[in-house]
């Protein structure tokens, strides 16, 4: 009977997961007015899988224990019930907080967040825990009930900020004009830019360079890609126009 119950548990979880995957796929592909976006659909799908898993485990293990300990005394059962109840307090706290996170849309699967002292991409939101993966590939598993401070870096458009240093001998007006040309062309080519990228102006007179700042906005998680591409394009255009980006040099002076 225990083996049969275990097999039925595995079958039930597999069937439920396939059904949830199909439901999530239909939501993502649907054009209906009340359909969910991709992030929210995936988040709810993962949460439903977690709910199904815990429910099936609870029912299955309860059935197994009732078979094994069918003749257990009521007194022992009461003591065991109290112990399970105490142990379930943290589980209930995690579960309730997880539900609040979902329905308040504090973050979704795929968002870039900082939770307390952990920072990364949300990989999963379960009934008990949230999983983050940082840019080194490390996984953080955080109990939902212990979460205190959340910073969501993916809510709304993200800022693009690039600082370019040019030599004091370079023509500032020419440099700004070249940068604006590069930005204007890139704005037209990149559909992820939401606020046009342009030159803010000279922001610092450093020891060895004049700093020119470029700002704009992109869709969430696209800002780093835009910054990398802009720096490359500006460097290539500066080389063509003879605008120097300063670097460390050694000057040897011979008195003779």
């Amino acid at each position: 009977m225990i083996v049969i119950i275990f097999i039925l548990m595995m079958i039930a979880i597999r069937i439920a997961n396939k059904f949830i995957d199909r439901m999530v796929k239909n939501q993502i592909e649907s054009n209906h007015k009340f359909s969910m976006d991709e992030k929210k659909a995936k988040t709810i799908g993962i949460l439903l899988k977690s709910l199904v898993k815990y429910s099936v485990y609870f029912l299955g293990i309860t059935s197994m224990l009732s078979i094994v300990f069918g003749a257990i005394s009521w007194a022992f059962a009461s003591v065991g019930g109290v112990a399970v109840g105490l142990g379930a307090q943290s589980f209930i706290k995690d579960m309730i907080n997880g539900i609040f996170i979902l329905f308040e849309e504090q973050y979704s699967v795929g968002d870039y967040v900082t939770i307390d002292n952990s920072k990364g991409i949300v990989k999963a939101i379960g009934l008990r825990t949230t999983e983050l993966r940082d840019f080194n590939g490390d996984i953080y598993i955080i109990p939902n009930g212990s979460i205190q401070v959340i910073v969501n870096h993916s809510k709304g458009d993200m800022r693009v900020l690039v600082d370019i240093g040019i030599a004091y001998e370079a023509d500032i007006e020419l440099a700004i004009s070249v940068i604006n040309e590069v930005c204007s062309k890139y704005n037209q080519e990149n559909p992820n830019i939401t606020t046009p990228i342009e030159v803010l102006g000279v922001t610092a007179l450093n020891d060895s360079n004049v700093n020119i700042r470029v700002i704009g906005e992109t869709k969430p998680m696209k800002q780093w890609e835009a910054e990398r591409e802009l720096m490359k394009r500006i460097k290539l255009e500066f080389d063509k126009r003879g605008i120097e980006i300063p670097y460390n040099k050694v000057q040897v002076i011979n008195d003779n």
Side-chain angles (χ1 to χ4, degrees):
M1 284 298 297
I2 291 174
V3 172
I4 291 172
I5 290 172
F6 180 79
I7 293 172
L8 290 175
M9 287 168 58
M10 296 300 102
I11 293 173
I13 291 173
R14 182 168 295 183
I15 292 173
N17 286 345
K18 287 186 177 180
F19 175 78
I20 292 169
D21 287 337
R22 184 177 300 174
M23 183 189 70
V24 169
K25 183 180 179 181
N26 291 338
Q27 278 291 322
I28 293 172
E29 296 176 352
S30 173
N31 294 322
H32 294 160
K33 183 177 180 181
F34 297 104
S35 60
M36 292 176 285
D37 59 30
E38 183 176 356
K39 280 187 177 181
K40 191 166 185 180
K42 288 182 177 179
T43 302
I44 291 177
I46 292 173
L47 187 64
L48 287 175
K49 287 182 180 180
S50 179
L51 179 61
V52 167
K53 181 178 69 175
Y54 284 118
S55 299
V56 171
Y57 283 172
F58 176 78
L59 293 174
I61 292 172
T62 302
S63 301
M64 291 178 185
L65 291 176
S66 67
I67 293 172
V68 175
F69 300 107
I72 195 169
S73 67
W74 283 104
F76 186 78
S78 299
V79 173
V82 172
V84 171
L86 292 174
Q89 288 182 3
S90 61
F91 174 80
I92 293 172
K93 181 181 178 182
D94 293 338
M95 183 178 68
I96 292 174
N97 207 31
I99 293 172
F100 284 147
I101 288 170
L102 175 64
F103 286 100
E104 292 178 359
E105 297 185 1
Q106 297 175 15
Y107 53 82
S108 303
V109 172
D111 285 353
Y112 174 47
V113 300
T114 301
I115 297 178
D116 297 331
N117 295 320
S118 303
K119 181 180 293 186
I121 307 295
V122 179
K123 303 302 293 182
I125 304 174
L127 279 179
R128 290 194 58 251
T129 61
T130 292
E131 291 186 18
L132 299 184
R133 182 187 291 274
D134 66 14
F135 294 113
N136 294 323
D138 298 327
I139 294 289
Y140 297 90
I141 300 176
I142 306 168
N144 292 331
S146 68
I147 295 174
Q148 299 294 326
V149 180
I150 301 169
V151 180
N152 192 329
H153 306 285
S154 299
K155 289 284 188 181
D157 297 335
M158 303 300 291
R159 185 183 68 174
V160 173
L161 191 151
V162 177
D163 286 325
I164 303 106
I166 65 170
Y168 275 94
E169 296 78 13
D171 186 333
I172 294 179
E173 295 298 335
L174 176 61
I176 291 175
S177 176
V178 170
I179 295 171
N180 271 325
E181 288 177 15
V182 172
C183 292
S184 178
K185 185 177 180 181
Y186 188 58
N187 289 334
Q188 297 173 6
E189 295 176 0
N190 190 341
N192 294 316
I193 294 173
T194 55
T195 299
I197 301 173
E198 59 186 7
V199 175
L200 177 65
V202 176
T203 57
L205 301 175
N206 298 318
D207 292 340
S208 60
N209 67 75
V210 177
N211 191 74
I212 300 174
R213 176 162 293 178
V214 175
I215 61 169
E217 290 184 344
T218 68
K219 295 176 182 178
M221 305 298 295
K222 300 297 182 180
Q223 69 274 21
W224 300 305
E225 174 189 336
E227 290 173 352
R228 292 193 299 268
E229 183 64 19
L230 273 175
M231 284 189 283
K232 183 185 79 172
R233 293 190 180 201
I234 291 170
K235 171 63 169 62
L236 292 174
E237 198 62 31
F238 275 9
D239 290 344
K240 292 179 183 178
R241 305 290 186 94
I243 300 172
E244 182 183 351
I245 296 176
Y247 55 91
N248 291 333
K249 301 175 184 177
V250 176
Q251 184 176 12
V252 179
I253 300 174
N254 189 337
D255 289 340
N256 297 326

